[in-house]
Amino acid sequence: MAISDNDIINIALDWKNNGRKVAIATVIQTWGSAPRGVGSKLLIDDLGNFEGSVSGGCVEGAVIGEASDLFKTRKPKILEYGVSNEMAWEVGLACGGELKILIQPLDLEDKIVYSIVEKIKKREIVKLRIDCLTGSRKIDDTIDKQISHFDKKKNEFIHVIDPK
């Protein structure tokens, strides 16, 4: 069973309150056969603990490794894994897939995290706009689309969290 957005955020807050550095990896785009969908999350701390999943186990180790660099640089990064469309057909892997993952640090001072928690507790849909270059996040209720998606032109991830 997949871990919920609410659980991920509560675990992140608990880890941060215990003095740990925390990073969150989010699937922002998929192509072809991908074990986890857009919006799936993996939470990583500086002790090597993790919760959630972005790939069903096949790239988690690499993402966790990237988190250790992120704790030093504090800069978000987009990670890409998989077989390209051309390569998939070339090697006969018609079910080949790609996965694009945004990994970013979470800071306890980041008030947006608390706003997200409050909205989820009230069972309100959260529409989050994340700049993939800077990692800045803001709640934006003007977003029309009701699904999470990556906007390549703006290099931003629109994450819609629907607390069912």
Side-chain angles (χ1 to χ4, degrees):
M1 182 175 177
I3 192 165
S4 74
D5 289 319
N6 191 35
D7 291 337
I8 285 283
I9 291 171
N10 283 323
I11 292 167
L13 289 174
D14 182 52
W15 288 358
K16 289 298 292 180
N17 286 330
N18 284 303
R20 301 186 211 173
K21 294 178 182 174
V22 179
I24 188 163
T26 307
V27 175
I28 62 172
Q29 190 175 41
T30 64
W31 171 84
S33 178
R36 299 282 183 256
V38 171
S40 297
K41 292 176 189 51
L42 177 65
L43 191 65
I44 308 121
D45 75 3
D46 57 335
L47 302 176
N49 297 301
F50 61 93
E51 289 284 343
S53 177
V54 290
S55 75
C58 49
V59 299
E60 257 86 6
V63 174
I64 292 166
E66 290 285 344
S68 64
D69 290 339
L70 179 85
F71 294 135
K72 296 172 193 157
T73 66
R74 306 300 298 160
K75 294 184 179 180
K77 188 176 191 180
I78 292 180
L79 312 171
E80 296 186 45
Y81 301 97
V83 179
S84 69
N85 192 13
E86 296 80 24
M87 169 89 59
W89 289 108
E90 206 173 278
V91 297
L93 295 172
C95 63
E98 293 179 2
L99 194 57
K100 197 174 280 197
I101 298 169
L102 172 66
I103 184 167
Q104 57 189 357
L106 283 182
D107 295 311
L108 196 56
E109 300 79 32
D110 191 351
K111 302 296 183 214
I112 193 81
V113 175
Y114 295 104
S115 298
I116 293 168
V117 168
E118 287 308 309
K119 280 185 160 275
I120 288 173
K121 282 181 184 175
K122 295 176 186 173
R123 298 263 188 244
E124 295 175 5
I125 293 176
V126 180
K127 295 178 183 180
L128 195 59
R129 186 176 301 273
I130 303 170
D131 182 314
C132 294
L133 292 177
T134 66
S136 69
R137 301 176 286 275
K138 72 175 190 172
I139 293 175
D140 186 349
D141 292 325
T142 66
I143 296 170
D144 289 333
K145 286 193 173 185
Q146 296 297 315
I147 58 168
S148 297
H149 65 281
F150 177 64
D151 185 330
K152 190 174 182 176
K153 287 181 183 175
K154 294 181 180 177
N155 203 21
E156 67 181 11
F157 179 56
I158 305 300
H159 189 41
V160 179
I161 302 168
D162 187 358
K164 299 191 172 26

